[in-house]
Amino acid sequence: MKQINVGSMHASNIALGIMRMDALSDEKAAEVIDAAVDAGINYIDSADLYGHGASSAKFKAGLKLAKASRDELYIQSKGGIVSENDGDIPYGNRYNFSKQHLIAAVDGELQRLGVDYLDSFLLHRPDPLMEPAEIAEAFDELQTAGKVRHFGVSNFNPMQVELVQKYLKQKLIINQLQFGIMHTGMIDFGMHTNMTDDRSVNHDGQILEYSRIHDMTIQAWSPYQYGFFEGVFIDNPKFPELNKKMQEIADIYGVTKNAIATAWILRHPAQFQVLLGTMNPQRIKESAAGSDVELTGQEWYDIYYAAGNDLP
């Protein structure tokens, strides 16, 4: 498993996201944790929204039964989304970046995860009502109390990052964004510069280039999904050409298509960290194998074309 620097953390370039862990028994959760560690993964991602906190609590129960220990892992969580299940919220989720809420979110996650501190804490989605000075107060208090060591954001565009960073003493070191073979907007528009087709539209403010300039690690969420949680593209009959090409390349390297989908993201020089969402130990092993596969430029472009993309 290859390593990257996430701020000062020397982390695996593949992480385990535990959004779906709430559906597992304690014993199955332990198997998932151990499968990830055995594959070389040392980074765990959660959020207070996942299972309305139940996924983090299940991780705590699983870790008690696992061979792995807390000291082997970097543990990250996210906060700032208030779920409709948290109270009388008739219109669905909303955001809350108040100092009080952010501190309470971290305290809740520390308890549910069964840890004394978070290695990193991310603002889950940008709140248009956020007061950056209030966020700074929350981060200072959390860091001074030893509850959080590093900070980042999720799904922010460059100017939103800049706005928050202006008020912080801490450097924002992470931005969690959707990216994968079937979600390539961050790179599409750059290749369609000075054009007027659909792929030329800049949807995210050049967040990929911004992140590289500012040494922010992009954590790629839902790397095997197409659309917005519409399903996975691997072994999906909707994408025969893509799966055929991925299998051809997988056969060359002696791995599975899961590994190739992982390797495709990691081939990009931006030093992505891929977030696995599967709770299947075998798929964790197969996907993690992509860390050690270095695709050629030709193979990378062959997959890009097979996914239905084009070049000017």
Side-chain angles (χ1 to χ4, degrees), residues 18-47:
I18 63 170
M19 183 175 71
R20 299 177 179 88
M21 190 167 274
D22 62 310
L24 305 182
S25 67
D26 295 356
E27 292 75 16
K28 290 294 184 182
E31 289 180 22
V32 167
I33 295 167
D34 282 334
V37 173
D38 289 345
I41 294 171
N42 68 356
Y43 206 101
I44 305 294
D45 172 70
S46 190

Short mmCIF file of all heavy atoms in Angstrom, two decimals, residues 18-47:
data_model
loop_
_atom_site.label_atom_id
_atom_site.label_comp_id
_atom_site.label_asym_id
_atom_site.label_seq_id
_atom_site.Cartn_x
_atom_site.Cartn_y
_atom_site.Cartn_z
N ILE A 18 -16.79 4.54 6.51
CA ILE A 18 -17.66 3.62 7.26
C ILE A 18 -19.12 4.04 7.25
O ILE A 18 -19.89 3.70 8.16
CB ILE A 18 -17.14 3.44 8.71
CG1 ILE A 18 -17.18 4.76 9.48
CG2 ILE A 18 -15.74 2.85 8.71
CD1 ILE A 18 -16.93 4.59 10.98
N MET A 19 -19.56 4.74 6.22
CA MET A 19 -20.94 5.22 6.15
C MET A 19 -21.95 4.07 6.31
O MET A 19 -22.99 4.24 6.95
CB MET A 19 -21.18 5.95 4.83
CG MET A 19 -22.58 6.53 4.70
SD MET A 19 -22.82 7.51 3.19
CE MET A 19 -22.83 6.23 1.94
N ARG A 20 -21.64 2.91 5.76
CA ARG A 20 -22.58 1.80 5.77
C ARG A 20 -22.34 0.81 6.91
O ARG A 20 -22.98 -0.24 6.96
CB ARG A 20 -22.51 1.06 4.43
CG ARG A 20 -22.87 1.93 3.22
CD ARG A 20 -22.72 1.17 1.91
NE ARG A 20 -23.09 2.01 0.78
CZ ARG A 20 -22.26 2.82 0.13
NH1 ARG A 20 -21.00 2.90 0.51
NH2 ARG A 20 -22.68 3.55 -0.88
N MET A 21 -21.46 1.12 7.82
CA MET A 21 -21.10 0.16 8.86
C MET A 21 -22.23 -0.08 9.86
O MET A 21 -22.27 -1.11 10.54
CB MET A 21 -19.83 0.61 9.60
CG MET A 21 -19.26 -0.42 10.54
SD MET A 21 -17.57 -0.06 11.12
CE MET A 21 -16.60 -0.77 9.78
N ASP A 22 -23.18 0.83 9.93
CA ASP A 22 -24.27 0.66 10.90
C ASP A 22 -25.12 -0.58 10.61
O ASP A 22 -25.80 -1.09 11.51
CB ASP A 22 -25.18 1.90 10.91
CG ASP A 22 -25.84 2.16 9.57
OD1 ASP A 22 -25.13 2.16 8.55
OD2 ASP A 22 -27.07 2.37 9.55
N ALA A 23 -25.06 -1.10 9.38
CA ALA A 23 -25.86 -2.27 9.02
C ALA A 23 -25.21 -3.58 9.45
O ALA A 23 -25.83 -4.65 9.32
CB ALA A 23 -26.10 -2.28 7.51
N LEU A 24 -24.00 -3.55 9.97
CA LEU A 24 -23.26 -4.76 10.30
C LEU A 24 -23.42 -5.16 11.77
O LEU A 24 -23.71 -4.32 12.62
CB LEU A 24 -21.77 -4.56 10.01
CG LEU A 24 -21.36 -4.12 8.60
CD1 LEU A 24 -19.85 -4.04 8.51
CD2 LEU A 24 -21.92 -5.06 7.54
N SER A 25 -23.17 -6.42 12.04
CA SER A 25 -23.04 -6.86 13.42
C SER A 25 -21.69 -6.40 13.94
O SER A 25 -20.81 -6.01 13.16
CB SER A 25 -23.13 -8.39 13.51
OG SER A 25 -21.99 -8.98 12.88
N ASP A 26 -21.49 -6.47 15.25
CA ASP A 26 -20.20 -6.08 15.82
C ASP A 26 -19.08 -6.94 15.24
O ASP A 26 -17.98 -6.44 14.94
CB ASP A 26 -20.22 -6.23 17.35
CG ASP A 26 -21.20 -5.27 18.02
OD1 ASP A 26 -21.79 -4.43 17.31
OD2 ASP A 26 -21.35 -5.37 19.25
N GLU A 27 -19.36 -8.23 15.09
CA GLU A 27 -18.33 -9.15 14.58
C GLU A 27 -17.99 -8.85 13.12
O GLU A 27 -16.80 -8.88 12.74
CB GLU A 27 -18.83 -10.60 14.72
CG GLU A 27 -18.96 -11.11 16.15
CD GLU A 27 -20.19 -10.56 16.88
OE1 GLU A 27 -21.11 -10.03 16.20
OE2 GLU A 27 -20.22 -10.65 18.11
N LYS A 28 -18.99 -8.55 12.31
CA LYS A 28 -18.74 -8.22 10.91
C LYS A 28 -17.99 -6.89 10.79
O LYS A 28 -17.12 -6.73 9.92
CB LYS A 28 -20.05 -8.15 10.13
CG LYS A 28 -20.72 -9.50 9.92
CD LYS A 28 -19.88 -10.40 9.03
CE LYS A 28 -20.60 -11.70 8.74
NZ LYS A 28 -19.76 -12.62 7.90
N ALA A 29 -18.31 -5.95 11.68
CA ALA A 29 -17.59 -4.67 11.67
C ALA A 29 -16.11 -4.90 11.97
O ALA A 29 -15.23 -4.28 11.35
CB ALA A 29 -18.20 -3.73 12.69
N ALA A 30 -15.82 -5.80 12.92
CA ALA A 30 -14.44 -6.13 13.25
C ALA A 30 -13.73 -6.74 12.05
O ALA A 30 -12.56 -6.43 11.76
CB ALA A 30 -14.39 -7.08 14.44
N GLU A 31 -14.44 -7.61 11.30
CA GLU A 31 -13.85 -8.23 10.11
C GLU A 31 -13.50 -7.18 9.07
O GLU A 31 -12.44 -7.26 8.42
CB GLU A 31 -14.82 -9.25 9.51
CG GLU A 31 -15.01 -10.51 10.33
CD GLU A 31 -15.98 -11.47 9.67
OE1 GLU A 31 -16.18 -11.37 8.43
OE2 GLU A 31 -16.56 -12.31 10.37
N VAL A 32 -14.38 -6.21 8.89
CA VAL A 32 -14.14 -5.14 7.92
C VAL A 32 -12.92 -4.31 8.32
O VAL A 32 -12.05 -4.01 7.49
CB VAL A 32 -15.39 -4.25 7.78
CG1 VAL A 32 -15.07 -2.97 7.01
CG2 VAL A 32 -16.51 -5.01 7.10
N ILE A 33 -12.85 -3.95 9.59
CA ILE A 33 -11.70 -3.16 10.07
C ILE A 33 -10.41 -3.92 9.87
O ILE A 33 -9.41 -3.37 9.37
CB ILE A 33 -11.90 -2.79 11.55
CG1 ILE A 33 -13.10 -1.85 11.72
CG2 ILE A 33 -10.63 -2.14 12.12
CD1 ILE A 33 -13.56 -1.67 13.15
N ASP A 34 -10.40 -5.20 10.24
CA ASP A 34 -9.17 -5.99 10.10
C ASP A 34 -8.81 -6.21 8.64
O ASP A 34 -7.63 -6.22 8.28
CB ASP A 34 -9.33 -7.34 10.82
CG ASP A 34 -9.18 -7.21 12.32
OD1 ASP A 34 -8.49 -6.27 12.77
OD2 ASP A 34 -9.74 -8.05 13.06
N ALA A 35 -9.82 -6.38 7.76
CA ALA A 35 -9.54 -6.54 6.34
C ALA A 35 -8.87 -5.29 5.78
O ALA A 35 -7.93 -5.37 4.97
CB ALA A 35 -10.84 -6.83 5.58
N ALA A 36 -9.33 -4.13 6.22
CA ALA A 36 -8.74 -2.87 5.76
C ALA A 36 -7.30 -2.75 6.24
O ALA A 36 -6.39 -2.43 5.45
CB ALA A 36 -9.57 -1.70 6.25
N VAL A 37 -7.07 -3.02 7.51
CA VAL A 37 -5.71 -2.90 8.07
C VAL A 37 -4.79 -3.93 7.42
O VAL A 37 -3.63 -3.63 7.08
CB VAL A 37 -5.74 -3.05 9.60
CG1 VAL A 37 -4.33 -3.11 10.16
CG2 VAL A 37 -6.52 -1.90 10.23
N ASP A 38 -5.28 -5.14 7.21
CA ASP A 38 -4.47 -6.17 6.56
C ASP A 38 -4.08 -5.77 5.14
O ASP A 38 -3.02 -6.16 4.64
CB ASP A 38 -5.21 -7.50 6.54
CG ASP A 38 -5.33 -8.15 7.91
OD1 ASP A 38 -4.59 -7.73 8.83
OD2 ASP A 38 -6.16 -9.07 8.07
N ALA A 39 -4.95 -4.98 4.49
CA ALA A 39 -4.66 -4.52 3.13
C ALA A 39 -3.73 -3.31 3.11
O ALA A 39 -3.33 -2.85 2.04
CB ALA A 39 -5.97 -4.18 2.42
N GLY A 40 -3.38 -2.79 4.29
CA GLY A 40 -2.47 -1.64 4.38
C GLY A 40 -3.14 -0.32 4.62
O GLY A 40 -2.49 0.72 4.65
N ILE A 41 -4.46 -0.33 4.81
CA ILE A 41 -5.21 0.91 5.05
C ILE A 41 -5.05 1.33 6.50
O ILE A 41 -5.25 0.53 7.42
CB ILE A 41 -6.70 0.72 4.71
CG1 ILE A 41 -6.87 0.48 3.21
CG2 ILE A 41 -7.53 1.91 5.18
CD1 ILE A 41 -8.27 0.07 2.80
N ASN A 42 -4.70 2.60 6.72
CA ASN A 42 -4.54 3.10 8.09
C ASN A 42 -5.37 4.36 8.35
O ASN A 42 -5.12 5.08 9.32
CB ASN A 42 -3.06 3.36 8.42
CG ASN A 42 -2.47 4.52 7.63
OD1 ASN A 42 -3.12 5.12 6.78
ND2 ASN A 42 -1.21 4.84 7.93
N TYR A 43 -6.35 4.63 7.48
CA TYR A 43 -7.13 5.86 7.56
C TYR A 43 -8.61 5.51 7.52
O TYR A 43 -9.07 4.82 6.61
CB TYR A 43 -6.77 6.78 6.39
CG TYR A 43 -6.99 8.26 6.65
CD1 TYR A 43 -5.92 9.09 6.97
CD2 TYR A 43 -8.25 8.83 6.55
CE1 TYR A 43 -6.10 10.45 7.19
CE2 TYR A 43 -8.45 10.18 6.78
CZ TYR A 43 -7.36 10.99 7.09
OH TYR A 43 -7.55 12.34 7.31
N ILE A 44 -9.37 6.00 8.51
CA ILE A 44 -10.80 5.74 8.63
C ILE A 44 -11.56 7.06 8.52
O ILE A 44 -11.19 8.05 9.14
CB ILE A 44 -11.13 5.08 9.99
CG1 ILE A 44 -10.31 3.81 10.20
CG2 ILE A 44 -12.63 4.81 10.10
CD1 ILE A 44 -10.62 2.69 9.23
N ASP A 45 -12.64 7.05 7.72
CA ASP A 45 -13.46 8.25 7.55
C ASP A 45 -14.89 7.98 7.99
O ASP A 45 -15.51 6.99 7.58
CB ASP A 45 -13.47 8.67 6.07
CG ASP A 45 -14.47 9.79 5.81
OD1 ASP A 45 -14.23 10.92 6.26
OD2 ASP A 45 -15.52 9.51 5.18
N SER A 46 -15.43 8.87 8.82
CA SER A 46 -16.81 8.78 9.24
C SER A 46 -17.45 10.16 9.22
O SER A 46 -16.84 11.14 8.75
CB SER A 46 -16.92 8.16 10.65
OG SER A 46 -18.27 7.86 10.96
N ALA A 47 -18.67 10.25 9.73
CA ALA A 47 -19.39 11.53 9.87
C ALA A 47 -20.53 11.30 10.84
O ALA A 47 -21.08 10.19 10.92
CB ALA A 47 -19.93 12.02 8.53
#
